[in-house]
């Protein structure tokens, strides 16, 4: 994963939750957790690295541990907040199962707005969905498209490259990856 991200030189890195499957395991294995911090720290993006929490991040009320790992890795946690980065408004809501999501969140005024959520079903409660140009969700652990036993994955696969969004990205590319 690290190599694929680095090779694509992303302008922005977004993490939509569930850093560890079991937070207690990560706390009990500091060497492995430090390796995760090292790996995530090595990822760079000129517009920054942003994260929201997933339901697994709240295991046994250990969300502060996960927040610490993300922040040590250079991520800005934007649960229930909105930031402006160049001409992109980034917003994030807290996990709807375990956290305290602000479903009324609105983006800053910008040419392009993006919302990060963990649980895709949060869209059903989102009050200002039409104010966001793109909404990115996590939680699906292997893809949201399933036909019988077939699951569509896009692991480490660039699905939008050199997208025609010149006013948004000044001819930058977009890479969307699923990690499970």
């Amino acid at each position: 994963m690290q190599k694929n991200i680095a090779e694509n030189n992303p302008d922005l890195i977004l993490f939509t939750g569930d850093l560890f499957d079991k937070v207690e395991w990560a706390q009990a294995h500091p060497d492995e957790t430090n390796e995760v911090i090292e790996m995530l720290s090595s990822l760079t993006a000129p517009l920054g690295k942003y994260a929201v929490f997933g339901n697994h991040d709240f295991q046994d009320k250990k969300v502060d541990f996960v927040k610490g790992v993300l922040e040590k890795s250079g991520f800005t946690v934007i649960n229930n907040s909105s930031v402006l980065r160049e001409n992109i408004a980034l917003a994030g809501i807290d996990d709807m199962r375990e956290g305290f999501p602000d479903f009324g969140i609105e983006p800053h005024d910008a040419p392009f707005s993006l919302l990060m959520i963990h649980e895709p079903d949060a869209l059903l409660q989102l009050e200002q969905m039409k104010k966001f140009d793109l909404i990115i969700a996590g939680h699906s652990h292997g893809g949201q498209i399933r036909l019988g036993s077939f699951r569509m994955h896009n692991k480490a696969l660039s699905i939008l490259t050199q997208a025609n969004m010149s006013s948004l990205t000044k001819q930058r590319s977009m890479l969307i990856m699923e990690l499970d």
Side-chain angles (χ1 to χ4, degrees), residues 87-104:
N87 56 350
I88 303 172
L90 295 157
I93 60 171
D94 205 358
D95 180 64
M96 70 179 275
R97 290 179 169 193
E98 304 292 334
F100 299 96
D102 176 4
F103 292 114

Side-chain angles (χ1 to χ4, degrees), residues 7-168:
E7 287 175 355
N8 283 284
N9 298 315
D11 293 304
L12 184 63
I13 297 175
L14 307 174
F15 182 76
T16 55
D18 289 350
L19 181 59
F20 300 106
D21 188 40
K22 302 285 184 197
V23 178
E24 283 184 342
W25 179 91
Q27 286 183 306
H29 296 85
D31 290 341
E32 287 86 347
T33 300
N34 286 332
E35 287 178 27
V36 170
I37 292 170
E38 246 180 73
M39 187 273 300
L40 292 174
S41 295
S42 72
L43 301 175
T44 60
L47 297 180
K49 302 187 295 190
Y50 297 89
V52 294
F53 296 138
N55 57 300
H56 287 271
D57 299 324
F58 287 88
Q59 180 196 27
D60 297 323
K61 309 290 184 217
K62 309 276 189 194
V63 72
D64 288 337
F65 175 79
V66 173
K67 183 178 183 183
V69 170
L70 288 166
E71 289 177 344
K72 286 177 190 173
S73 303
F75 280 82
T76 301
V77 177
I78 59 170
N79 286 325
N80 297 329
S81 63
S82 182
V83 297
L84 190 59
R85 199 65 178 116
E86 289 191 15
N87 56 350
I88 303 172
L90 295 157
I93 60 171
D94 205 358
D95 180 64
M96 70 179 275
R97 290 179 169 193
E98 304 292 334
F100 299 96
D102 176 4
F103 292 114
I105 195 165
E106 294 188 22
H108 286 285
D109 187 30
F112 188 82
S113 61
L114 184 148
L115 176 66
M116 297 169 56
I117 61 175
H118 177 67
E119 168 68 58
D121 291 340
L123 291 175
L124 301 173
Q125 297 182 47
L126 194 61
E127 297 167 18
Q128 306 295 337
M129 183 166 49
K130 291 182 180 178
K131 292 190 176 187
F132 293 96
D133 297 304
L134 178 64
I135 299 173
I136 297 177
H139 189 68
S140 59
H141 300 277
Q144 294 179 13
I145 301 171
R146 295 191 176 135
L147 301 170
S149 62
F150 174 76
R151 293 175 13 155
M152 182 176 211
H153 293 267
N154 65 339
K155 284 175 138 178
L157 174 66
S158 173
I159 62 171
L160 296 173
T161 305
Q162 296 301 324
N164 186 12
M165 294 192 259
S166 59
S167 64
L168 162 65

